Amino acid sequence: MGKPKKYDFSGYATKVNVKCSDGRTILPNAFEHMDGKKVPFVYQHLHNDPKNVLGHAILENRKDGVYAYVSLNDTENGKTAKALIEHGDVSALSIYANGLVQKANSVAHGVIREVSLVLSGANPEAYIDNLQFAHADGTPGDVDETEAFITLGA
């Protein structure tokens, strides 16, 4: 799966071979069947109110984890989340998964139901690493602003 053409930011929803705060470790390819799937993006795993849905995430299975390309909604809560992310106030991601197949404390398979923006994630290596928010001129957020196009003549 290639990355989506348009998204607001991206990062690791979960990393493999990292012990999470719940004592579990995600094994490589535990979620490979989720590659290319779209899941809700919510705040703090709160499922009890549709206002907590901030957008959606497109998942990409990688050898070192599950990467998420996230698009935020144009709602009040989506805009608030965007401001928090752009400002660097919140950068942790987390997954909610069920249907888990475990070997001791290692997760070999499961179904990711959502990706969350969280204050502190269970997996210490799951975080936002790429902002793509458009600038006022419409260019993506990761454009190298030290570059310039210089032309001669009228």
Side-chain angles (χ1 to χ4, degrees):
M1 184 218 124
K3 72 180 179 180
K5 291 181 181 177
K6 184 178 182 285
Y7 59 95
D8 293 317
F9 65 89
S10 58
Y12 277 92
T14 192
K15 291 285 275 277
V16 301
N17 297 322
V18 175
K19 187 174 183 178
C20 296
S21 63
D22 64 2
R24 294 180 175 135
T25 300
I26 308 294
L27 296 176
N29 295 316
F31 300 111
E32 69 181 325
H33 62 286
M34 299 296 302
D35 189 63
K37 301 288 186 195
K38 180 165 83 171
V39 298
F41 182 70
V42 303
Y43 182 69
Q44 288 285 122
H45 300 295
L46 297 174
H47 306 268
N48 60 347
D49 189 335
K51 291 179 184 173
N52 293 325
V53 177
L54 305 173
H56 67 269
I58 304 295
L59 304 177
E60 180 181 69
N61 186 62
R62 294 182 175 181
K63 66 180 181 176
D64 58 346
V66 177
Y67 200 77
Y69 297 95
V70 179
S71 295
L72 294 171
N73 292 333
D74 191 28
T75 60
E76 185 176 329
N77 288 350
K79 290 174 186 175
T80 299
K82 177 182 177 183
L84 293 171
I85 293 164
E86 278 186 308
H87 194 255
D89 298 323
V90 182
S91 61
L93 298 175
S94 184
I95 61 169
Y96 169 72
N98 61 11
L100 300 179
V101 175
Q102 292 188 180
K103 298 175 183 174
N105 286 333
S106 297
V107 176
H109 183 80
V111 179
I112 296 174
R113 299 298 182 182
E114 53 93 331
V115 175
S116 279
L117 179 65
V118 293
L119 300 177
S120 179
N123 186 316
E125 294 185 29
Y127 56 86
I128 296 166
D129 65 4
N130 180 32
L131 299 180
Q132 288 289 314
F133 296 115
H135 295 290
D137 65 0
T139 59
D142 69 345
V143 171
D144 183 359
E145 296 188 30
T146 60
E147 291 183 64
F149 294 95
I150 300 171
T151 60
L152 299 175

